[in-house]
Amino acid sequence: MNRILVLIISIIFFNSCKENTFSVESRFENGNSEIIYLSLSDTTIYGKTYSKKFKIKFNEKKDTLRKGVYINKMAIGEHLFYENNKTICKRNYIIPNPFFIDIDKKK
């Protein structure tokens, strides 16, 4: 009985520990990833639902350039900027009043 219980708990534990993996959004001509992303749960802003992604941008030599969350290709929240894989800048992007912004359109 104990063996069965341990087996069931082990199966549940290993199935619940799914590792989040990043997907490639774009690549350079040399095949290196330019932008990778992890899809996050959708978010609702002013009554509309938008997709949310955590993105990491690289240069052609695979050095990290930028990390942050995007909503429909618009930066949101804290973004870290890098030079030679060292943090050089932190910026915090906020959602302004909807009168001044249209999240659905690209700029």
Side-chain angles (χ1 to χ4, degrees):
M1 181 65 176
N2 285 341
R3 285 185 178 180
I4 294 172
L5 185 59
V6 170
L7 179 64
I8 291 172
I9 291 172
S10 298
I11 291 171
I12 292 171
F13 175 75
F14 287 117
N15 285 337
S16 66
C17 294
K18 293 179 182 176
E19 185 176 321
N20 292 329
T21 57
F22 282 83
S23 301
V24 176
E25 182 173 289
S26 62
R27 292 186 181 275
F28 290 106
E29 289 181 14
N30 65 8
N32 290 344
S33 299
E34 179 180 12
I35 299 173
I36 61 172
Y37 70 92
L38 176 64
S39 291
L40 304 173
S41 60
D42 290 346
T43 188
T44 303
I45 302 170
Y46 304 120
K48 286 183 149 184
T49 302
Y50 299 98
S51 64
K52 187 166 53 170
K53 295 178 181 177
F54 176 75
K55 294 184 182 183
I56 303 173
K57 184 173 182 174
F58 302 96
N59 64 14
E60 290 186 27
K61 298 177 184 178
K62 298 183 181 181
D63 291 334
T64 303
L65 296 177
R66 181 178 184 167
K67 290 181 185 179
V69 175
Y70 290 81
I71 297 177
N72 283 12
K73 299 187 178 188
M74 186 178 86
I76 189 75
E78 185 176 89
H79 281 241
L80 301 173
F81 294 84
Y82 297 85
E83 190 173 286
N84 297 323
N85 289 323
K86 294 182 182 177
T87 304
I88 59 167
C89 179
K90 289 183 185 181
R91 288 189 180 167
N92 196 16
Y93 295 90
I94 59 169
I95 299 175
N97 186 319
F99 179 77
F100 297 106
I101 192 164
D102 190 355
I103 295 174
D104 294 330
K105 293 185 179 179
K106 294 181 185 177
K107 293 188 178 186

